[in-house]
Amino acid sequence: MKQYAIKGGNPLVGDVEIAGAKNAALPILAAAAMTDETVYIDNIPDVRDINVMLDTMRNIGVAVKRTGRHSVMLNGGNITNLTVDDESCKKIRGSYYLLGAFLGKYKYAEVVLPGGCDIGCRGIDQHLKGFRALGAEVVIEHGLIKARAERLRGSHIYMDKVSVGATINIMIAATLAEGMTIIENSAKEPHVVDVANFLNSCGANVRGAGTDVIRIRGVAKLHGGEYTIIPDQIEAGTFMFAAAVTKGDVTVKNVIPKHLESITAKLLEIGCEVEEADDCVRVVSSKPLMHTQVRTLPYPGFPTDMQPQMTVALALARGTSIVTESIFENRFKYVDELVRMGADIKVEGGDTAIIDGVARYTGASITVPDLRAGAALVIAALTAEGFTMVDGIQYIERGYEDFYIKLQNLGAQIELVETEKDYQKFRLKVG
Ligand code: UD1
């Protein structure tokens, strides 16, 4: 079984290059199948969720050619199957973007109910509400979401909840609907803007992405093109917090600093120095970390996908901190593992963590419950006294490209081990 073996104690120092944004790439790949012409996409991350998505698209007849580790050529001119239900795509959340893409293009689609990380009930009612408002009949049968429309007509849709996925899915479908669609109370995340920019580069007419009202004037068809995905804001934030927690000095490269403002603000608040340049940020952590309060919110608020990394930092900060999770209802499952490493954290009401800072973590055998918590637990292990074995790293591989290699390059003592012999070799190496 693959695990990470980690010996804590080294501050992370150096430069790290950030990959393309997984959560932008997933819907952009789906939307690329809406044209019969060829689309070239660059800066896709080489992570498991993206590779599952590409396999799923290949299985239904999309021509997919990896032109490089981070680039792909797609052609959706010969799609043979509008039922997307292979086993692997059940595990990723992004597969449901094929519903919006195919409903727009073919007025028909069947896609398996989505999976993704187990961080609480993850409704899809807003997606369905949006498709229905565009004129589709939508039913859930035998584990599939089935959507069909005679014609898709633009509509005025008010989202009851700010949802990244629903905003993007409805925006994608509405691109090929007749007339104007207005999505109110839309999500404003950078990847919503990236998907809109991609659609526009293929001939769509989407305005207002990045604000809470998006206007989409439907067009008859999309054309091919070339597009480069934005950098991954959460991967960047994860390395910024890794620098903070390990008392390091890390320059995080290939980022858009504007997308990182809420993360930077919290790092400054807890006592780190952050320097911004055009496409990189440097985080230096030389003083004791200070306590604070954080509430996760839709963008531009503090991202829920950074909540575990923040908690890992605050558990080592002086004083009492409070972290409130307002997006997902079950996102503190990793706290039990952190407590096993010596943290003093109580979760109240499922959504609030009360954290009394401790002086240090101690290494333990831990299990990763989901993607972002996995990265956060690894960061904790990097600063823990002694050795930590991390189980369940397949979650981390879903969304972080070369995670342990990038950490090694920053001076971390971390190794991927599969056997007891590998582990003993690692122990001998790091002493
Ligand atoms: C996406 C990201 C995820 C991130 C989240 C919030 C992907 C693949 N995943 O997830 O990493 O944590 O945004 O930034 O892009 N909700 C409903 N009904 C709906 C849709 C959502 O009730 O129809 C609820 C969800 O249960 C959740 C909240 O709205 O409580 C936000 O969800 P949403 O923004 O849709 O997250 P995802 O798109 O699933």
Side-chain angles (χ1 to χ4, degrees), residues 32 48 145 153 158 279:
R48 186 165 300 163
I145 313 164
R153 290 204 179 87
Y158 184 87
D279 64 352

Side-chain angles (χ1 to χ4, degrees), residues 105-122:
K105 186 178 182 189
Y106 301 108
K107 316 296 173 237
Y108 180 73
E110 292 187 356
V111 176
V112 74
L113 274 163
C117 281
D118 180 12
I119 49 181
C121 168
R122 300 180 75 175

Side-chain angles (χ1 to χ4, degrees), residues 235-273:
E235 188 196 6
T238 301
F239 280 99
M240 290 166 77
F241 268 83
V245 171
T246 62
K247 297 268 155 267
D249 178 350
V250 174
T251 300
V252 182
K253 294 178 144 179
N254 181 34
V255 298
I256 300 174
K258 172 103 188 99
H259 294 169
L260 302 169
E261 275 175 352
S262 64
I263 296 166
T264 298
K266 283 296 164 196
L267 284 170
L268 291 171
E269 223 171 281
I270 64 174
C272 298
E273 290 159 56

Side-chain angles (χ1 to χ4, degrees), residues 23 93 121-127 163-165 305 327-328:
N23 290 348
R93 191 117 191 113
C121 168
R122 300 180 75 175
I124 51 159
D125 53 301
Q126 299 303 304
H127 300 243
S163 160
V164 176
D305 283 358
I327 309 289
F328 291 106

Side-chain angles (χ1 to χ4, degrees), residues 26-308:
L26 288 166
I28 288 175
L29 292 173
M34 292 173 87
T35 164
D36 288 345
E37 296 177 19
T38 299
V39 177
Y40 297 85
I41 301 173
D42 202 9
N43 206 31
I44 54 166
D46 186 9
V47 295
R48 186 165 300 163
D49 276 15
I50 295 295
N51 295 326
V52 168
M53 185 73 172
L54 289 173
D55 285 344
T56 296
M57 293 179 72
R58 218 178 255 122
N59 289 345
I60 52 175
V62 179
V64 178
K65 189 169 169 221
R66 215 56 195 239
T67 49
R69 186 173 184 203
H70 298 125
S71 51
V72 68
M73 187 182 91
L74 296 151
N75 185 293
N78 290 304
I79 292 170
T80 45
N81 185 356
L82 297 179
T83 303
V84 182
D85 67 347
D86 59 75
E87 268 311 303
S88 52
C89 84
K90 280 184 198 160
K91 300 196 186 100
I92 64 168
R93 191 117 191 113
S95 54
Y96 63 16
Y97 292 124
L98 290 166
L99 202 62
F102 290 168
L103 184 62
K105 186 178 182 189
Y106 301 108
K107 316 296 173 237
Y108 180 73
E110 292 187 356
V111 176
V112 74
L113 274 163
C117 281
D118 180 12
I119 49 181
C121 168
R122 300 180 75 175
I124 51 159
D125 53 301
Q126 299 303 304
H127 300 243
L128 307 192
K129 170 179 162 167
F131 295 149
R132 288 184 179 125
L134 295 175
E137 244 178 67
V138 190
V139 292
I140 297 178
E141 276 175 3
H142 308 296
L144 292 172
I145 313 164
K146 301 181 178 180
R148 177 192 297 277
E150 284 295 315
R151 298 166 70 180
L152 278 190
R153 290 204 179 87
S155 178
H156 198 133
I157 302 161
Y158 184 87
M159 311 291 291
D160 302 312
K161 198 159 198 179
V162 179
S163 160
V164 176
T167 301
I168 291 176
N169 226 345
I170 297 164
M171 182 170 80
I172 289 174
T175 292
L176 293 179
E178 296 166 30
M180 177 73 97
T181 297
I182 300 174
I183 308 175
E184 299 225 38
N185 198 26
S186 50
K188 297 182 281 219
E189 267 68 1
H191 33 297
V192 176
V193 180
D194 208 35
V195 180
N197 288 342
F198 167 71
L199 290 166
N200 287 340
S201 77
C202 296
N205 185 345
V206 182
R207 300 285 171 259
T211 75
D212 40 27
V213 184
I214 301 181
R215 291 184 164 76
I216 306 128
R217 185 170 292 285
V219 295
K221 61 180 193 154
L222 297 179
H223 56 70
E226 288 179 27
Y227 194 77
T228 301
I229 307 268
I230 52 167
D232 196 307
Q233 140 212 33
I234 304 300
E235 188 196 6
T238 301
F239 280 99
M240 290 166 77
F241 268 83
V245 171
T246 62
K247 297 268 155 267
D249 178 350
V250 174
T251 300
V252 182
K253 294 178 144 179
N254 181 34
V255 298
I256 300 174
K258 172 103 188 99
H259 294 169
L260 302 169
E261 275 175 352
S262 64
I263 296 166
T264 298
K266 283 296 164 196
L267 284 170
L268 291 171
E269 223 171 281
I270 64 174
C272 298
E273 290 159 56
V274 184
E275 282 170 29
E276 287 181 8
D278 279 356
D279 64 352
C280 62
V281 287
R282 178 178 172 203
V283 177
V284 182
S285 173
S286 53
K287 295 185 234 140
L289 298 179
M290 299 304 296
H291 65 100
T292 192
Q293 302 206 355
V294 189
R295 171 182 287 269
T296 62
L297 287 169
Y299 189 84
F302 191 83
T304 173
D305 283 358
M306 286 299 302
Q307 181 259 97

